Every structure is written in C-alpha cells, then in structure tokens.
Amino acid sequence: MMKSLCLELLLPFFMLFPSVPAFADDLLVFAEEAPDALVKRVTDEVLEIVRQDKDIQSGNTKKILELVEAKVFPHFDFAHMTALAVGRDWSRATPDQKKRLADEFHILLVRTYSNALTAYRDQSIRYRALKRAPEDTEVLVRTEILQPGSKPITLNYSLEKHDDGWKVFDVAVAGVSLVGNYRDAFSTEVRANGIDGLLKMLVDKNKQLEASQK
Amino acid sequence: MKRFFCVICVLAALSGCAATGTHPDDPYEGFNRAMFSFNEGLDTVVKPVAEGYETLTPLPIRVVIGNFFGNIGDVWISVNNFLQGKVEAGFSDIGRVLVNSTFGFCGIFDFASEMGLEKHSEDFGQTLGVWGVESGPYFFWPIIGPRTARDTFGWGVDFAVDPVRRIRHDNATRNTLIGVRTIEGRARLLQAEKVLDSASFDKYNTIRNMYLNGRAAAIKDED
C-alpha cells in the first residue's frame, strides 16, 4: 500500500524529467549490448588482466588459454567461423562432422589467439566510430592498436546478431582475415582427403601445438 | 647489388618458361617455393642473430634503434604520401622528420607520435597501386621475400633512393647501419612469426595470403 502511494506521488516528478526516456533507453541497451560496446568492454577487461598478471606477461600458456576461453571466446561463433573457413565444402559435412570440425577449430584458435596476446606490451587501443543502421544484423567494429614509433595496426571484428547478443565470426589484422587465412589450406585438404581428412589435419595440428606449448 | 638484381631478373625470366602453379594467385609456385626454401635456409643464420639482439638489448635501446631508422624512413614515406595525393599525411610526415630530427635527437626519440603526428607506412609499390598499376604475378625472391611484379619494381625504386645506402664516403658506417637495420627488422618479426607458425598449416601458403591481402589493404589504407 505504502509502496504504491510512493509511486503515485513520485511518478509526476519522473515524468517532468525528459531524461526518463533516455534512462529507459540505457536499460534497453544494457539488456542488448551494442556490438562496439561489447568489443570495447571485453578488450578493456582482458587487457586490464594481462597488464596486472605477471604470469601471463611472462608467457604462462595455461593461464592465457584460460583467460581467452573465459573472457573472449564466449563471444565468438565457432560454427559460423568454421563454415566460413571451410567454404563450399561445409554443406557436404554431416551435423556430427560439423560439430567436431568447429570444436577442433575452436581449440586451434585459442592457441593462435593466446600466442597473439602474449605479444601485448601496453599498447593502447583506439575504437573507431561504428557505422551501423539499426536493422543491420552484421557489423564491422573497427579498432586500432597504437604503438609509438609504428604505424597503428587495424584490428577489425566482424559480428553477427544472435538472440543472446552479438557474436564475432571473423577478426582481421592489418586487413588480413583470420578465417580467410585458413580457406586455402582447408579446401586443398578436403579436395585431397575429404571432410574426415580435414578433421584429422586439425586434430594433428592441435596435438602438435599442445606438445610444443607445454 | 646490381648484379644480384640482374640474377633475379634472369631467374624470373627462366621461371616464366615453366609456369608450375596450381593456385590462381601463384603462377610461378614451383620457383617461388624453391626460393622460399632458400630463404628459410638463410634465416637459420639470420634468425638466431635477431633473437640474440632481442635478448641482449634492453627494450628502451631497441626502441631508440627502431626510431632512428624509422625517422630516416619517414622522408621517403612523406614523398610517397605526396605522390599518392595525400597532402595532409605528407606534411604530417615532414613534421615528424623535423620534430624527431631536432627535439628527438637525430630521430632516436619519437616525440612526433606523442604530439599526435602518427607514423605512416608507405612505399613506391603502394604509390603505383594507388595510381592504378595492377599487381601482376606473385613472386617469392631470394633475400627480399614476397613481392608481386608491381611491388618488385616498387622495391627497386625504394632501394635506389634508400638514404642509408647512399652514404658513399664511409663504407664502414654504411655497412654497419645496413646490418643493424636488417637485424632490427628481423627481430620485429619474431613475435608475429610465433603466431604465424601456430596459425598455419603451410607457412609458404600463409605468407602468400597475408602478403597479397595485406598489400591490397595497404593500398586502400585499410591496414
């Protein structure tokens, strides 16, 4: 009773303030984080951890892998990435093969991403303005790695809208796509040894990387 | 060095008789892969020196050395920006050279970056690309590595105007500078190479992809 009375008394005040709708907008954005905000939040979080963790800076593989897996990769869509990397042959794979390919590709990318992260030495990141129409379901979030004495390196994320938020499906460093990088090697293998050959190639590569990074 | 360039031209002409590649972007893959192996062999000598340089030289000293050569490079970068019609970037590069050569003690400190004059990366191959010259076939050369036909010519021009190489009165200084610059350049690639090794199934293939896509992006200034 008391509660509703309070509300009734206070409501006119709220309505006086034009900022109330804006506040409601903020709530809405929070419920569905914008793609550029997502990239910035995750990047800032991860780099803050790297800056403070001496183990990671000295190249502790296990810790870096855990960080990437916990903070970065929940926002990646591996099925989409694998489909793009495999190209036309993706449609020939069974659902089971697709899942196993995506799982192996995931493991490979964790290794690659972790290697890149150990190279981080206090460079700052610049976030470029996002060009996006409200109805877009795919966007490119453009960032730059700044380092004195060198030209800034572009680092662009391609994201797609999902029901549970935006997911990254490609990363391009200095104009070179990460997913596209695998396309040649994957299609050559599929042509020679089929989908199972590609799966075996990924499994072997991951085993080899695991052995060398211990 | 001129003789070396001639040898390359002859090799290229010979390899032209035997187009071996199966990849559409790589008609001379047989020749290119042979030269790639040759360079990997050379690198077994160069890489350890670069690793030694990185281990033994403290980071601030390496930054100073990198800045010194970067400042010399900014002169030609400025010219290329003007040639590409990017007047603002060209003047910014001139500003960089002036600031860093004076306040930056002959270029060893990059104060210009702190002032907001960002470093660019341009060469004559990119200029030709901006002018509309097609990239032509892909080559992997001994010593200098991947270059398309256009970028091979561009490299020749970059090489001809290289200020360090034009020091004529003092051979010892010139050769030392060229040596240090080479090792410093190789050391810069060590970290990226680790990522490349873990990311690639066929290093030759990955380098080709990265080179061709990276150059296309650089010409559009999207790198």
Side-chain angles (χ1 to χ4, degrees), chain B residues 97-115:
Chain B
V97 176
L98 291 178
V99 168
N100 288 339
S101 301
T102 53
F103 299 109
F105 299 97
C106 296
I108 65 171
F109 297 113
D110 184 7
F111 286 136
S113 277
E114 315 278 328
M115 290 167 57

Side-chain angles (χ1 to χ4, degrees), chain B residues 33-51:
Chain B
R33 279 196 188 265
M35 292 308 116
F36 173 72
S37 308
F38 173 78
N39 278 12
E40 290 284 285
L42 273 185
D43 197 46
T44 55
V45 182
V46 180
K47 188 177 174 181
V49 180
E51 284 170 334

Side-chain angles (χ1 to χ4, degrees), chain A residues 26-38:
Chain A
D26 280 351
L27 280 178
L28 215 71
V29 170
F30 190 75
E32 188 203 277
E33 194 175 23
D36 49 343
L38 170 76

Side-chain angles (χ1 to χ4, degrees), chain A residues 70-118:
Chain A
K71 293 282 181 188
V72 183
F73 279 13
H75 305 289
F76 278 50
D77 177 1
F78 288 98
H80 192 166
M81 294 178 103
T82 318
L84 282 178
V86 174
R88 270 186 313 183
D89 301 313
W90 181 250
S91 56
R92 283 173 39 203
T94 65
D96 178 55
Q97 282 174 324
K98 282 180 182 170
K99 190 183 173 303
R100 280 156 62 204
L101 282 173
D103 288 347
E104 291 299 329
F105 197 42
H106 180 147
I107 296 170
L108 178 65
L109 290 179
V110 176
R111 299 268 169 196
T112 305
Y113 216 87
S114 305
N115 266 331
L117 205 55
T118 47

